[in-house]
Amino acid sequence: MRLIPLFLCLLFSACAGYQLGGVKPGIMRDVQTIAVPMFTNESLEPRAETLATSAAIDAFIQDGTYRIASTDSADAILEASLHEIDYFQIRSSRLDTLRPEELQNTVTLVWTVRDARGSNRILAQGSSTGTSTFFVDSNLQTSRHNALPDALERASQAMVSRLANGF
């Protein structure tokens, strides 16, 4: 009979500290909506800023922690730029080592979240990277362009995870 209360205390203390629902970083707890204006493009890839902006909006929608809003009605504004795109050779042709068969691209997003309610206070800032591997076909430029959205999606997911979860 005395073991039942002891057992219940042990059972309920096992989940102490856990809570249901999202756990935003402390500085972002008052932010419900976020505006995502067009990213800037510091790379040499033409029109990559539209792909990066779309990938970031999709990542916010999939995560669900913040709602997307216009700049006028948002609690915070995400300012970001596509900083660089690097390509690395993973595998080359057996007969010609200068001809790549498989490449990896790494994109870097540099971002800042500002308070949209009058003060120009910075709520969060950082950089996120995303990678993608792809095989090179007869047209190298087309292969690179086709692999770019995947790397941007991974970088955007890393950025949103950091804003929504703190890591």
Side-chain angles (χ1 to χ4, degrees):
M1 191 69 168
R2 293 182 192 181
L3 294 177
I4 292 175
L6 179 65
F7 177 72
L8 288 175
C9 287
L10 289 175
L11 178 70
F12 288 120
S13 68
C15 60
Y18 292 101
Q19 65 183 25
L20 295 175
V23 181
K24 296 179 189 176
I27 194 92
M28 300 286 286
R29 73 176 160 270
D30 295 331
V31 176
Q32 302 297 321
T33 58
I34 191 163
V36 184
M38 185 67 69
F39 287 13
T40 58
N41 186 2
E42 298 173 9
S43 71
L44 297 176
E45 184 74 28
R47 295 183 299 276
E49 66 274 10
T50 57
L51 294 172
T53 306
S54 293
I57 290 171
D58 289 344
F60 276 114
I61 290 171
Q62 284 179 349
D63 181 69
T65 303
Y66 304 105
R67 287 178 290 132
I68 302 296
S70 66
T71 307
D72 302 336
S73 62
D75 298 327
I77 299 172
L78 172 69
E79 298 169 351
S81 66
L82 176 56
H83 184 65
E84 65 182 340
I85 304 171
D86 290 324
Y87 293 94
F88 304 102
Q89 181 174 321
I90 295 176
R91 191 179 337 179
S92 64
S93 175
R94 235 175 2 136
L95 302 175
D96 184 4
T97 57
L98 295 177
R99 182 169 182 242
E101 283 188 355
E102 187 176 7
L103 291 173
Q104 176 180 351
N105 63 348
T106 302
V107 299
T108 304
L109 298 176
V110 177
W111 48 268
T112 303
V113 178
R114 296 187 187 276
D115 192 357
R117 295 174 228 146
S119 69
N120 212 5
R121 185 173 62 130
I122 294 176
L123 299 175
Q125 64 184 9
S127 65
S128 302
T129 59
T131 61
S132 177
T133 58
F134 58 97
F135 288 98
V136 178
D137 59 6
S138 59
N139 189 340
L140 178 62
Q141 187 65 28
T142 302
S143 298
R144 285 181 169 187
H145 187 71
N146 289 341
L148 187 58
D150 185 44
L152 287 169
E153 182 179 329
R154 292 170 195 254
S156 296
Q157 287 171 349
M159 174 184 64
V160 170
S161 174
R162 191 148 155 225
L163 290 173
N165 304 320
F167 55 87

